[in-house]
Amino acid sequence: MTLVSDHIEPDTRERILVVAERLFRQIGYQKTTVADIAKELRMSPANVYRFFDSKKAIHEGVARTLMGQVEVAAMVIANRGGPAAPRLRELLGTIHSMNTERYVGDNKLHEMVAVAMEQSWEVCEAHMLLITETVGRVIGQGAASGEFAVSDLPVAAKCACTAMMRFFHPQMIAQCATKPGPTIDEMIDFVLAGLGSTGAAS
Amino acid sequence: MTLVSDHIEPDTRERILVVAERLFRQIGYQKTTVADIAKELRMSPANVYRFFDSKKAIHEGVARTLMGQVEVAAMVIANRGGPAAPRLRELLGTIHSMNTERYVGDNKLHEMVAVAMEQSWEVCEAHMLLITETVGRVIGQGAASGEFAVSDLPVAAKCACTAMMRFFHPQMIAQCATKPGPTIDEMIDFVLAGLGSTGAAS
């Protein structure tokens, strides 16, 4: 019984998150109820509550999944090795494109972002710290190889991520999409120059 | 009659904007009515409507005044002459501190910012273009004197202002005030390095 349960429960948990994410995208976070999620899965709301004790817990689970995918993609780039400048360019571009795909456009996940920032700030903060740390790892590799000239690595990582706010922050991506401003490539060039990149043209 | 009217009307217009700004700060933009503004000025709402045909027009007048003060302060610094790097530092710091004073904290002007961005975007955009141009002017002076190394001045100005988004954008100033991140001085150092500042330490 325990064995069977161990096999089934992570899968059910996963299925709840997949369906919840789809409903949040389609009809929005506020309008989606636990009953809607249960109905899609042909289970009772009580069964959903066995896995998540509130809609907020489901929301945090979906947010963690979406953020976790960006974190994994970022870490793959950071761990790959090779010259740091092109990898930093790829890393910053990937975070931008994944956040754009996730939170902007036709889908309604942007509602989820606003709720996460208000009600589950610690989840957002942990994600931002991990992304900053991963960006910092690549900057550190570039500093070690002589590609970058930085005197304070944690500060350089914080500044590089903060400089990218227009392209990283879901609300800013959405707000600035149709507004005048630099392209992402121009912005990454500027960040590379800020890191004293020997190959950067500002 | 015309002369007297010429003397009084700009003054009345000004007084309406001063009172409107105070009420927007104290009770918020949404809750302030044209009748409230008229009552404070001991005039009829009809008289207020002689100067501004809608609450939106008053709102735009207040926004233009607040933004105009920042623009004037920025231009004074840009026109002063002398080494560009310390003036750029002062300019970026001044925009940050004036926007913080205006739109963040106890007062309720942040509501006005949200309304301006939704309903009077062209007013916000004109302000941002003027600020970017003023920042670009100082960068251009630094490029001419050999303090900065920039190949494309308009792009450099756009990137410098975009990099400062956390410290310039009223909603970001408010959202990030208590969040981890670089200090404004660290961020300005990074921007100076991005401009190839000969004196910058990143």
Side-chain angles (χ1 to χ4, degrees):
Chain A
M1 181 63 192
T2 309
L3 262 174
V4 172
S5 174
D6 276 347
H7 276 237
I8 289 172
E9 303 218 340
D11 182 56
T12 304
R13 209 186 131 81
E14 187 58 34
R15 283 169 55 221
I16 292 169
L17 292 178
V18 168
V19 166
E21 183 191 324
R22 180 159 52 77
L23 291 177
F24 293 171
R25 278 185 195 264
Q26 288 170 348
I27 61 179
Y29 173 70
Q30 303 289 3
K31 284 190 185 161
T32 301
T33 63
V34 172
D36 293 332
I37 296 166
K39 197 178 161 195
E40 286 278 316
L41 289 160
R42 301 185 186 192
M43 58 172 70
S44 66
N47 199 40
V48 173
Y49 283 118
R50 281 181 55 219
F51 296 90
F52 296 95
D53 62 9
S54 62
K55 188 175 151 187
K56 186 186 170 197
I58 299 177
H59 167 271
E60 288 192 356
V62 172
R64 280 299 316 138
T65 303
L66 289 165
M67 291 171 180
Q69 291 159 355
V70 181
E71 292 163 8
V72 167
M75 282 187 281
V76 166
I77 297 170
N79 291 338
R80 199 197 296 139
R87 273 187 303 123
L88 187 60
R89 180 178 295 281
E90 184 185 348
L91 176 52
L92 302 178
T94 298
I95 296 166
H96 172 61
S97 60
M98 289 185 82
N99 280 357
T100 304
E101 183 277 322
R102 272 160 180 64
Y103 307 116
V104 188
D106 288 342
N107 82 63
K108 303 191 172 187
L109 282 182
H110 55 87
E111 228 189 87
M112 218 189 74
V113 174
V115 172
M117 291 191 55
E118 258 181 52
Q119 295 175 15
S120 307
W121 172 250
E122 64 293 347
V123 174
C124 300
E125 184 169 10
H127 171 67
M128 285 163 55
L129 289 178
L130 200 140
I131 289 294
T132 305
E133 195 187 291
T134 309
V135 167
R137 195 142 24 108
V138 178
I139 296 174
Q141 293 159 0
S145 69
E147 286 174 82
F148 302 146
V150 295
S151 56
D152 186 324
L153 184 56
V155 168
K158 279 192 284 185
C159 288
C161 290
T162 300
M164 296 301 297
M165 181 173 262
R166 178 187 168 114
F167 299 94
F168 281 8
H169 189 311
Q171 292 173 334
M172 292 299 99
I173 297 174
Q175 197 174 91
C176 301
T178 59
K179 306 292 191 291
T183 64
I184 176 137
D185 278 329
E186 289 167 346
M187 201 62 221
I188 295 174
D189 284 339
F190 188 83
V191 167
L192 288 172
L195 296 169
S197 172
T198 45
S202 75
Chain B
M1 181 63 188
T2 308
L3 261 175
V4 171
S5 174
D6 276 348
H7 276 236
I8 288 172
E9 304 221 339
D11 183 55
T12 305
R13 207 187 133 81
E14 188 57 36
R15 283 170 53 223
I16 292 169
L17 291 179
V18 168
V19 166
E21 183 190 324
R22 180 160 51 77
L23 292 177
F24 293 170
R25 276 184 196 266
Q26 287 170 349
I27 61 178
Y29 174 70
Q30 304 289 3
K31 285 191 184 160
T32 301
T33 64
V34 173
D36 293 332
I37 297 167
K39 197 178 163 197
E40 286 279 316
L41 289 159
R42 299 183 187 194
M43 59 174 68
S44 66
N47 199 40
V48 173
Y49 282 117
R50 281 180 54 219
F51 297 89
F52 296 94
D53 62 9
S54 62
K55 187 175 152 186
K56 186 186 170 195
I58 300 177
H59 167 270
E60 288 191 357
V62 172
R64 281 298 317 137
T65 303
L66 289 166
M67 291 172 181
Q69 292 160 353
V70 182
E71 292 162 9
V72 167
M75 283 187 282
V76 165
I77 297 169
N79 292 338
R80 199 197 298 138
R87 274 189 302 122
L88 187 59
R89 180 179 296 281
E90 184 185 350
L91 176 52
L92 301 179
T94 298
I95 297 166
H96 171 62
S97 61
M98 290 185 81
N99 280 357
T100 304
E101 182 278 320
R102 273 161 180 64
Y103 307 115
V104 186
D106 287 343
N107 81 64
K108 302 191 173 188
L109 282 182
H110 56 87
E111 231 189 86
M112 218 190 74
V113 175
V115 172
M117 292 191 55
E118 258 180 52
Q119 294 175 16
S120 307
W121 173 249
E122 63 291 348
V123 174
C124 301
E125 185 168 8
H127 171 67
M128 283 163 54
L129 289 177
L130 200 140
I131 290 293
T132 305
E133 196 187 290
T134 309
V135 167
R137 194 142 24 108
V138 178
I139 295 174
Q141 293 160 0
S145 69
E147 285 174 84
F148 301 146
V150 295
S151 55
D152 186 324
L153 184 56
V155 168
K158 279 192 284 184
C159 287
C161 290
T162 301
M164 295 301 297
M165 181 172 263
R166 178 187 170 116
F167 299 95
F168 281 8
H169 189 311
Q171 293 174 334
M172 291 300 99
I173 297 174
Q175 196 174 92
C176 301
T178 59
K179 306 291 191 291
T183 65
I184 177 135
D185 278 327
E186 289 167 345
M187 200 64 220
I188 294 174
D189 284 339
F190 189 82
V191 167
L192 288 171
L195 297 168
S197 170
T198 44
S202 73

